[in-house]
mmCIF file of all heavy atoms in Angstrom:
data_model
loop_
_atom_site.group_PDB
_atom_site.id
_atom_site.type_symbol
_atom_site.label_atom_id
_atom_site.label_comp_id
_atom_site.label_asym_id
_atom_site.label_seq_id
_atom_site.Cartn_x
_atom_site.Cartn_y
_atom_site.Cartn_z
ATOM 1 N N PHE A 195 4.155 16.307 4.334
ATOM 2 C CA PHE A 195 5.342 16.973 3.793
ATOM 3 C C PHE A 195 5.062 18.464 3.923
ATOM 4 O O PHE A 195 4.233 19.016 3.215
ATOM 5 C CB PHE A 195 5.563 16.578 2.323
ATOM 6 C CG PHE A 195 6.939 16.940 1.804
ATOM 7 C CD1 PHE A 195 7.849 15.962 1.448
ATOM 8 C CD2 PHE A 195 7.321 18.269 1.681
ATOM 9 C CE1 PHE A 195 9.118 16.286 0.975
ATOM 10 C CE2 PHE A 195 8.584 18.608 1.216
ATOM 11 C CZ PHE A 195 9.487 17.613 0.869
ATOM 12 N N ASN A 196 5.765 19.102 4.855
ATOM 13 C CA ASN A 196 5.501 20.513 5.165
ATOM 14 C C ASN A 196 6.390 21.413 4.311
ATOM 15 O O ASN A 196 7.607 21.395 4.447
ATOM 16 C CB ASN A 196 5.763 20.758 6.653
ATOM 17 C CG ASN A 196 5.566 22.215 7.047
ATOM 18 O OD1 ASN A 196 4.948 22.995 6.326
ATOM 19 N ND2 ASN A 196 6.094 22.583 8.200
ATOM 20 N N TYR A 219 5.415 14.546 10.528
ATOM 21 C CA TYR A 219 5.661 15.566 9.501
ATOM 22 C C TYR A 219 7.164 15.685 9.267
ATOM 23 O O TYR A 219 7.969 15.250 10.093
ATOM 24 C CB TYR A 219 5.048 16.916 9.932
ATOM 25 C CG TYR A 219 5.313 17.285 11.375
ATOM 26 C CD1 TYR A 219 6.441 18.030 11.741
ATOM 27 C CD2 TYR A 219 4.445 16.858 12.389
ATOM 28 C CE1 TYR A 219 6.692 18.352 13.064
ATOM 29 C CE2 TYR A 219 4.697 17.181 13.724
ATOM 30 C CZ TYR A 219 5.820 17.916 14.050
ATOM 31 O OH TYR A 219 6.073 18.226 15.367
ATOM 32 N N THR A 220 7.532 16.293 8.134
ATOM 33 C CA THR A 220 8.926 16.267 7.686
ATOM 34 C C THR A 220 9.815 17.320 8.326
ATOM 35 O O THR A 220 11.030 17.310 8.113
ATOM 36 C CB THR A 220 8.993 16.482 6.160
ATOM 37 O OG1 THR A 220 8.260 17.672 5.833
ATOM 38 C CG2 THR A 220 8.451 15.297 5.388
ATOM 39 N N THR A 221 9.246 18.254 9.079
ATOM 40 C CA THR A 221 10.035 19.386 9.574
ATOM 41 C C THR A 221 10.210 19.323 11.094
ATOM 42 O O THR A 221 9.767 18.370 11.737
ATOM 43 C CB THR A 221 9.363 20.707 9.158
ATOM 44 O OG1 THR A 221 7.955 20.607 9.394
ATOM 45 C CG2 THR A 221 9.591 20.993 7.683
ATOM 46 N N CYS A 222 10.858 20.354 11.659
ATOM 47 C CA CYS A 222 11.173 20.392 13.088
ATOM 48 C C CYS A 222 9.917 20.344 13.952
ATOM 49 O O CYS A 222 8.833 20.715 13.513
ATOM 50 C CB CYS A 222 11.950 21.663 13.414
ATOM 51 S SG CYS A 222 13.553 21.779 12.586
ATOM 52 N N ASP A 223 10.102 19.911 15.214
ATOM 53 C CA ASP A 223 8.950 19.825 16.119
ATOM 54 C C ASP A 223 8.480 21.221 16.541
ATOM 55 O O ASP A 223 9.075 22.233 16.167
ATOM 56 C CB ASP A 223 9.273 18.935 17.329
ATOM 57 C CG ASP A 223 10.328 19.522 18.271
ATOM 58 O OD1 ASP A 223 10.576 20.745 18.232
ATOM 59 O OD2 ASP A 223 10.911 18.740 19.053
ATOM 60 N N GLY A 323 22.845 23.746 3.500
ATOM 61 C CA GLY A 323 21.774 22.825 3.856
ATOM 62 C C GLY A 323 22.292 21.703 4.733
ATOM 63 O O GLY A 323 23.401 21.203 4.546
ATOM 64 N N VAL A 324 21.473 21.324 5.709
ATOM 65 C CA VAL A 324 21.777 20.190 6.587
ATOM 66 C C VAL A 324 20.489 19.392 6.708
ATOM 67 O O VAL A 324 19.415 19.975 6.903
ATOM 68 C CB VAL A 324 22.222 20.659 7.994
ATOM 69 C CG1 VAL A 324 22.688 19.479 8.834
ATOM 70 C CG2 VAL A 324 23.313 21.723 7.910
ATOM 71 N N PHE A 325 20.576 18.057 6.563
ATOM 72 C CA PHE A 325 19.350 17.272 6.729
ATOM 73 C C PHE A 325 19.657 15.930 7.374
ATOM 74 O O PHE A 325 20.804 15.470 7.385
ATOM 75 C CB PHE A 325 18.639 17.067 5.377
ATOM 76 C CG PHE A 325 19.279 16.057 4.454
ATOM 77 C CD1 PHE A 325 18.822 14.739 4.397
ATOM 78 C CD2 PHE A 325 20.340 16.419 3.626
ATOM 79 C CE1 PHE A 325 19.404 13.810 3.532
ATOM 80 C CE2 PHE A 325 20.927 15.503 2.755
ATOM 81 C CZ PHE A 325 20.446 14.194 2.715
ATOM 82 N N LYS A 326 18.608 15.336 7.921
ATOM 83 C CA LYS A 326 18.738 14.001 8.499
ATOM 84 C C LYS A 326 17.979 13.023 7.623
ATOM 85 O O LYS A 326 16.812 13.221 7.321
ATOM 86 C CB LYS A 326 18.200 13.977 9.930
ATOM 87 C CG LYS A 326 18.641 12.749 10.708
ATOM 88 C CD LYS A 326 18.329 12.899 12.188
ATOM 89 C CE LYS A 326 18.910 11.725 12.966
ATOM 90 N NZ LYS A 326 18.543 11.772 14.380
ATOM 91 N N GLY A 327 18.674 11.999 7.160
ATOM 92 C CA GLY A 327 18.075 10.954 6.333
ATOM 93 C C GLY A 327 18.791 9.649 6.610
ATOM 94 O O GLY A 327 20.010 9.641 6.843
ATOM 95 N N GLU A 330 21.101 9.565 9.703
ATOM 96 C CA GLU A 330 22.364 10.297 9.793
ATOM 97 C C GLU A 330 22.193 11.749 9.360
ATOM 98 O O GLU A 330 21.420 12.056 8.456
ATOM 99 C CB GLU A 330 23.423 9.638 8.893
ATOM 100 C CG GLU A 330 23.939 8.324 9.424
ATOM 101 C CD GLU A 330 25.072 7.757 8.574
ATOM 102 O OE1 GLU A 330 25.590 8.481 7.700
ATOM 103 O OE2 GLU A 330 25.416 6.588 8.785
ATOM 104 N N ILE A 331 22.985 12.629 9.987
ATOM 105 C CA ILE A 331 22.992 14.041 9.591
ATOM 106 C C ILE A 331 23.951 14.210 8.420
ATOM 107 O O ILE A 331 25.102 13.774 8.476
ATOM 108 C CB ILE A 331 23.440 14.940 10.765
ATOM 109 C CG1 ILE A 331 22.395 14.886 11.889
ATOM 110 C CG2 ILE A 331 23.642 16.384 10.308
ATOM 111 C CD1 ILE A 331 22.827 15.586 13.169
ATOM 112 N N THR A 332 23.466 14.809 7.343
ATOM 113 C CA THR A 332 24.295 15.105 6.168
ATOM 114 C C THR A 332 24.418 16.619 6.023
ATOM 115 O O THR A 332 23.422 17.330 6.034
ATOM 116 C CB THR A 332 23.654 14.523 4.885
ATOM 117 O OG1 THR A 332 23.598 13.096 4.999
ATOM 118 C CG2 THR A 332 24.461 14.892 3.639
ATOM 119 N N LEU A 334 25.347 19.401 3.449
ATOM 120 C CA LEU A 334 25.462 19.577 1.999
ATOM 121 C C LEU A 334 26.558 20.610 1.682
ATOM 122 O O LEU A 334 26.989 21.351 2.565
ATOM 123 C CB LEU A 334 24.118 20.029 1.431
ATOM 124 C CG LEU A 334 22.980 18.994 1.531
ATOM 125 C CD1 LEU A 334 21.629 19.636 1.252
ATOM 126 C CD2 LEU A 334 23.211 17.828 0.579
ATOM 127 N N TYR A 381 22.542 22.078 14.234
ATOM 128 C CA TYR A 381 21.415 21.180 13.932
ATOM 129 C C TYR A 381 21.049 20.352 15.168
ATOM 130 O O TYR A 381 19.873 20.230 15.534
ATOM 131 C CB TYR A 381 21.803 20.269 12.763
ATOM 132 C CG TYR A 381 20.671 19.449 12.177
ATOM 133 C CD1 TYR A 381 19.976 19.887 11.044
ATOM 134 C CD2 TYR A 381 20.292 18.226 12.725
ATOM 135 C CE1 TYR A 381 18.945 19.130 10.493
ATOM 136 C CE2 TYR A 381 19.264 17.462 12.184
ATOM 137 C CZ TYR A 381 18.596 17.923 11.062
ATOM 138 O OH TYR A 381 17.580 17.165 10.521
ATOM 139 N N ASN A 385 17.902 20.674 18.056
ATOM 140 C CA ASN A 385 17.042 19.490 17.906
ATOM 141 C C ASN A 385 16.249 19.534 16.593
ATOM 142 O O ASN A 385 15.035 19.333 16.565
ATOM 143 C CB ASN A 385 16.088 19.364 19.104
ATOM 144 C CG ASN A 385 15.350 18.036 19.117
ATOM 145 O OD1 ASN A 385 15.886 17.017 18.674
ATOM 146 N ND2 ASN A 385 14.123 18.025 19.592
ATOM 147 N N CYS A 386 16.968 19.841 15.503
ATOM 148 C CA CYS A 386 16.297 19.973 14.203
ATOM 149 C C CYS A 386 15.884 18.616 13.639
ATOM 150 O O CYS A 386 16.446 17.577 13.981
ATOM 151 C CB CYS A 386 17.219 20.672 13.204
ATOM 152 S SG CYS A 386 17.562 22.383 13.633
ATOM 153 N N LYS A 387 14.894 18.653 12.758
ATOM 154 C CA LYS A 387 14.436 17.466 12.016
ATOM 155 C C LYS A 387 14.327 17.861 10.548
ATOM 156 O O LYS A 387 14.128 19.031 10.229
ATOM 157 C CB LYS A 387 13.055 17.015 12.509
ATOM 158 C CG LYS A 387 12.922 16.756 14.003
ATOM 159 C CD LYS A 387 13.490 15.416 14.402
ATOM 160 C CE LYS A 387 13.096 14.985 15.814
ATOM 161 N NZ LYS A 387 13.376 15.936 16.869
ATOM 162 N N GLY A 388 14.414 16.864 9.682
ATOM 163 C CA GLY A 388 14.257 17.141 8.250
ATOM 164 C C GLY A 388 15.390 17.981 7.720
ATOM 165 O O GLY A 388 16.530 17.896 8.177
ATOM 166 N N ALA A 389 15.088 18.835 6.737
ATOM 167 C CA ALA A 389 16.103 19.670 6.090
ATOM 168 C C ALA A 389 16.000 21.100 6.601
ATOM 169 O O ALA A 389 14.907 21.657 6.686
ATOM 170 C CB ALA A 389 15.913 19.643 4.576
ATOM 171 N N VAL A 390 17.149 21.694 6.939
ATOM 172 C CA VAL A 390 17.196 23.104 7.333
ATOM 173 C C VAL A 390 18.271 23.780 6.495
ATOM 174 O O VAL A 390 19.107 23.123 5.876
ATOM 175 C CB VAL A 390 17.512 23.287 8.839
ATOM 176 C CG1 VAL A 390 16.521 22.521 9.693
ATOM 177 C CG2 VAL A 390 18.946 22.866 9.170
ATOM 178 N N ARG A 391 18.236 25.107 6.486
ATOM 179 C CA ARG A 391 19.283 25.871 5.795
ATOM 180 C C ARG A 391 19.838 26.898 6.766
ATOM 181 O O ARG A 391 19.068 27.631 7.402
ATOM 182 C CB ARG A 391 18.712 26.549 4.555
ATOM 183 C CG ARG A 391 19.734 26.808 3.455
ATOM 184 C CD ARG A 391 19.161 27.666 2.345
ATOM 185 N NE ARG A 391 18.927 29.015 2.821
ATOM 186 C CZ ARG A 391 17.774 29.657 2.724
ATOM 187 N NH1 ARG A 391 16.741 29.097 2.132
ATOM 188 N NH2 ARG A 391 17.633 30.886 3.194
ATOM 189 N N ASN A 409 16.821 28.539 8.719
ATOM 190 C CA ASN A 409 15.518 28.453 8.052
ATOM 191 C C ASN A 409 15.087 26.995 8.123
ATOM 192 O O ASN A 409 15.751 26.123 7.566
ATOM 193 C CB ASN A 409 15.692 28.913 6.599
ATOM 194 C CG ASN A 409 14.402 29.009 5.843
ATOM 195 O OD1 ASN A 409 13.509 28.183 6.025
ATOM 196 N ND2 ASN A 409 14.294 29.994 4.981
ATOM 197 N N THR A 410 13.990 26.720 8.851
ATOM 198 C CA THR A 410 13.602 25.318 9.083
ATOM 199 C C THR A 410 12.615 24.780 8.042
ATOM 200 O O THR A 410 12.310 23.592 8.050
ATOM 201 C CB THR A 410 12.999 25.145 10.491
ATOM 202 O OG1 THR A 410 11.885 26.032 10.639
ATOM 203 C CG2 THR A 410 14.039 25.448 11.560
ATOM 204 N N VAL A 411 12.120 25.653 7.162
ATOM 205 C CA VAL A 411 11.331 25.184 6.005
ATOM 206 C C VAL A 411 11.937 25.856 4.767
ATOM 207 O O VAL A 411 11.357 26.799 4.218
ATOM 208 C CB VAL A 411 9.818 25.507 6.141
ATOM 209 C CG1 VAL A 411 9.031 24.884 4.974
ATOM 210 C CG2 VAL A 411 9.261 24.986 7.462
ATOM 211 N N PRO A 412 13.116 25.399 4.366
ATOM 212 C CA PRO A 412 13.783 26.066 3.243
ATOM 213 C C PRO A 412 13.037 25.857 1.934
ATOM 214 O O PRO A 412 12.348 24.845 1.749
ATOM 215 C CB PRO A 412 15.171 25.423 3.197
ATOM 216 C CG PRO A 412 15.060 24.157 3.975
ATOM 217 C CD PRO A 412 13.909 24.292 4.918
ATOM 218 N N GLN A 414 11.980 25.044 -1.873
ATOM 219 C CA GLN A 414 12.240 23.849 -2.698
ATOM 220 C C GLN A 414 11.900 24.124 -4.160
ATOM 221 O O GLN A 414 11.486 23.227 -4.886
ATOM 222 C CB GLN A 414 11.398 22.671 -2.191
ATOM 223 C CG GLN A 414 11.721 22.227 -0.791
ATOM 224 C CD GLN A 414 13.063 21.540 -0.657
ATOM 225 O OE1 GLN A 414 13.682 21.159 -1.650
ATOM 226 N NE2 GLN A 414 13.541 21.383 0.560
ATOM 227 N N ILE A 420 18.848 24.664 -1.535
ATOM 228 C CA ILE A 420 18.883 23.257 -1.103
ATOM 229 C C ILE A 420 18.904 22.326 -2.314
ATOM 230 O O ILE A 420 19.677 21.371 -2.359
ATOM 231 C CB ILE A 420 17.663 22.932 -0.207
ATOM 232 C CG1 ILE A 420 17.818 23.605 1.158
ATOM 233 C CG2 ILE A 420 17.471 21.433 -0.056
ATOM 234 C CD1 ILE A 420 18.553 22.825 2.222
ATOM 235 N N PHE A 434 16.234 12.639 -2.297
ATOM 236 C CA PHE A 434 16.298 13.519 -1.118
ATOM 237 C C PHE A 434 14.924 13.584 -0.446
ATOM 238 O O PHE A 434 14.804 13.428 0.776
ATOM 239 C CB PHE A 434 16.775 14.906 -1.580
ATOM 240 C CG PHE A 434 16.669 16.007 -0.569
ATOM 241 C CD1 PHE A 434 17.352 15.947 0.638
ATOM 242 C CD2 PHE A 434 15.905 17.145 -0.847
ATOM 243 C CE1 PHE A 434 17.270 16.988 1.563
ATOM 244 C CE2 PHE A 434 15.830 18.190 0.068
ATOM 245 C CZ PHE A 434 16.508 18.105 1.273
ATOM 246 N N GLN A 437 14.112 10.407 1.364
ATOM 247 C CA GLN A 437 14.793 10.288 2.661
ATOM 248 C C GLN A 437 14.109 11.129 3.730
ATOM 249 O O GLN A 437 13.964 10.699 4.882
ATOM 250 C CB GLN A 437 16.266 10.678 2.522
ATOM 251 C CG GLN A 437 17.078 9.650 1.746
ATOM 252 C CD GLN A 437 18.580 9.778 1.981
ATOM 253 O OE1 GLN A 437 19.026 10.288 3.008
ATOM 254 N NE2 GLN A 437 19.358 9.302 1.030
ATOM 255 N N LEU A 438 13.661 12.331 3.364
ATOM 256 C CA LEU A 438 12.962 13.190 4.339
ATOM 257 C C LEU A 438 11.664 12.532 4.796
ATOM 258 O O LEU A 438 11.326 12.552 5.988
ATOM 259 C CB LEU A 438 12.637 14.556 3.725
ATOM 260 C CG LEU A 438 13.797 15.470 3.325
ATOM 261 C CD1 LEU A 438 13.253 16.819 2.833
ATOM 262 C CD2 LEU A 438 14.764 15.689 4.477
ATOM 263 N N ILE A 439 10.931 11.942 3.841
ATOM 264 C CA ILE A 439 9.637 11.315 4.172
ATOM 265 C C ILE A 439 9.852 10.071 5.032
ATOM 266 O O ILE A 439 9.183 9.882 6.054
ATOM 267 C CB ILE A 439 8.846 10.975 2.883
ATOM 268 C CG1 ILE A 439 8.419 12.279 2.180
ATOM 269 C CG2 ILE A 439 7.629 10.121 3.217
ATOM 270 C CD1 ILE A 439 7.897 12.074 0.754
ATOM 271 N N GLU A 441 12.365 9.360 6.912
ATOM 272 C CA GLU A 441 12.916 9.740 8.221
ATOM 273 C C GLU A 441 11.799 10.189 9.185
ATOM 274 O O GLU A 441 11.874 9.921 10.382
ATOM 275 C CB GLU A 441 13.942 10.866 8.042
ATOM 276 C CG GLU A 441 14.695 11.261 9.301
ATOM 277 C CD GLU A 441 15.610 10.177 9.858
ATOM 278 O OE1 GLU A 441 16.114 9.335 9.091
ATOM 279 O OE2 GLU A 441 15.811 10.174 11.089
ATOM 280 N N MET A 442 10.758 10.848 8.637
ATOM 281 C CA MET A 442 9.704 11.330 9.561
ATOM 282 C C MET A 442 8.956 10.157 10.197
ATOM 283 O O MET A 442 8.416 10.282 11.289
ATOM 284 C CB MET A 442 8.736 12.270 8.839
ATOM 285 C CG MET A 442 7.697 11.616 7.982
ATOM 286 S SD MET A 442 6.457 12.836 7.471
ATOM 287 C CE MET A 442 5.747 12.017 6.049
ATOM 288 N N LYS A 445 10.626 9.043 13.483
ATOM 289 C CA LYS A 445 10.630 9.923 14.669
ATOM 290 C C LYS A 445 9.999 9.230 15.863
ATOM 291 O O LYS A 445 8.961 8.634 15.738
ATOM 292 C CB LYS A 445 9.843 11.212 14.371
ATOM 293 C CG LYS A 445 10.599 12.212 13.508
ATOM 294 C CD LYS A 445 9.793 13.502 13.457
ATOM 295 C CE LYS A 445 10.270 14.438 12.376
ATOM 296 N NZ LYS A 445 9.485 15.650 12.280
#
Side-chain angles (χ1 to χ4, degrees):
F195 194 114
N196 178 17
Y219 45 90
T220 53
T221 44
C222 297
D223 67 19
V324 187
F325 75 97
K326 196 168 186 185
E330 287 185 11
I331 294 172
T332 297
L334 294 167
Y381 190 96
N385 190 32
C386 294
K387 306 281 193 307
V390 305
R391 207 189 69 233
N409 186 322
T410 57
V411 185
Q414 297 290 347
I420 288 272
F434 169 61
Q437 289 199 25
L438 295 184
I439 293 168
E441 186 66 28
M442 79 169 160
K445 284 188 194 178

